[in-house]
Amino acid sequence: MAESPNKVAQTGDPTAHAEILAIREACTALGTEHLTGATVYILALPCPMCLGALYYCSPDEVVFLTTRDAYEPHYVDDRRYFELNTFYDEFGKPWDQRRLPMRHAPHEDAVGVYRLWQERNGGERRVAGAPTGG
């Protein structure tokens, strides 16, 4: 079992959401990046960062206790590029159409990092033991 409060304000770390910290603790304790067989309990629907981490570690289930509609009268997060009520639409846009300015700076050696990873993993392209969708 792993648990954590949100520690963003205390640490000055914007990734120190409760879900991220609990996932780190659980995966470290289990010695794996996969939480298959686990149920993750969270306060509210996860932000996109936490949702991505939850998808990545593949728990069997995520249980949330409240919704944005219920807590909106008490809390709002409307940062420069991040607004919960519009972010999921923003996330689905092509990289060059998002509000956060991004640019592609191609470098031919960048793919070499992935090539080396594949070579060091016996020619496999997937992480051994990772739960897959198919």
Side-chain angles (χ1 to χ4, degrees), residues 5 7 13-14 16 26-27 47 58 63 78 87 90 118 120 127-128 131:
K7 294 184 179 179
D13 177 355
C27 289
C47 76
S58 303
V63 177
D78 57 352
F87 192 81
E90 182 78 10
Q118 183 180 22
R120 290 188 176 175
V127 174

Side-chain angles (χ1 to χ4, degrees), residues 42-119:
I42 59 178
L43 179 61
L45 283 168
C47 76
M49 175 184 66
C50 294
L51 183 61
L54 288 161
Y55 268 90
Y56 199 86
C57 70
S58 303
D60 284 2
E61 181 181 31
V62 175
V63 177
F64 61 95
L65 306 179
T66 191
T67 65
R68 278 186 215 89
D69 289 341
Y71 74 67
E72 192 272 333
H74 313 288
Y75 179 80
V76 66
D77 200 343
D78 57 352
R79 296 161 192 255
R80 183 173 182 188
Y81 301 118
F82 179 84
E83 296 163 344
L84 277 175
N85 62 341
T86 61
F87 192 81
Y88 287 96
D89 291 334
E90 182 78 10
F91 199 69
K93 292 178 183 176
W95 66 268
D96 57 349
Q97 295 176 18
R98 294 181 183 148
R99 289 173 55 194
L100 176 65
M102 301 177 86
R103 67 182 172 89
H104 182 208
H107 195 287
E108 65 183 67
D109 292 337
V111 174
V113 173
Y114 295 95
R115 194 175 296 114
L116 179 61
W117 185 92
Q118 183 180 22
E119 289 169 12

